[in-house]
Amino acid sequence: AATARRDIHTMDALVWAYWRAGRVDAAAKTIAVATSTGTRDPRIRCHADAIAASVAGSAPTGEVCHPLDIIVARSTAPAGVRP
C-alpha cells in the first residue's frame, strides 16, 4: 500500500510498523518523508519523537503515543488550527 499511496497517513502507518518491528533505520528514513510536509498531527509527531529517541539510543519505555494524549493535544489546539 505504501508504494501505491504515498500520503502522510500511509507513510506514518509504515513508519510505526517499521519501528515496532525494530527496523529503526527504515523508520527514521520514512518518518523524514512523512514529516517533510510540516505536519502538526499529534500522532505523527509522537511517532517522530519516539523514533528520534530510538535513533539517539534512548528508546522510550512504557506506552508510547497514548491515544488520550493525542486527544488532549487535539482538543487544546488554538481555534482554527488543526494539529
Side-chain angles (χ1 to χ4, degrees):
T3 55
R5 291 184 52 187
R6 303 224 13 117
D7 64 274
I8 191 170
H9 298 288
T10 302
M11 292 284 92
D12 180 57
L14 181 60
V15 161
W16 205 235
Y18 281 151
W19 187 79
R20 297 285 300 207
R23 296 180 59 192
V24 177
D25 290 340
K29 289 177 185 176
T30 308
I31 197 66
V33 173
T35 57
S36 67
T37 63
T39 184
R40 294 173 50 174
D41 183 295
R43 179 180 43 224
I44 295 171
R45 298 299 328 154
C46 181
H47 291 169
D49 292 345
I51 291 162
S54 293
V55 169
S58 59
T61 58
E63 187 168 4
V64 177
C65 304
H66 191 280
L68 291 179
D69 294 337
I70 294 167
I71 291 169
V72 169
R74 286 186 177 176
S75 67
T76 58
V81 175
R82 189 170 182 213

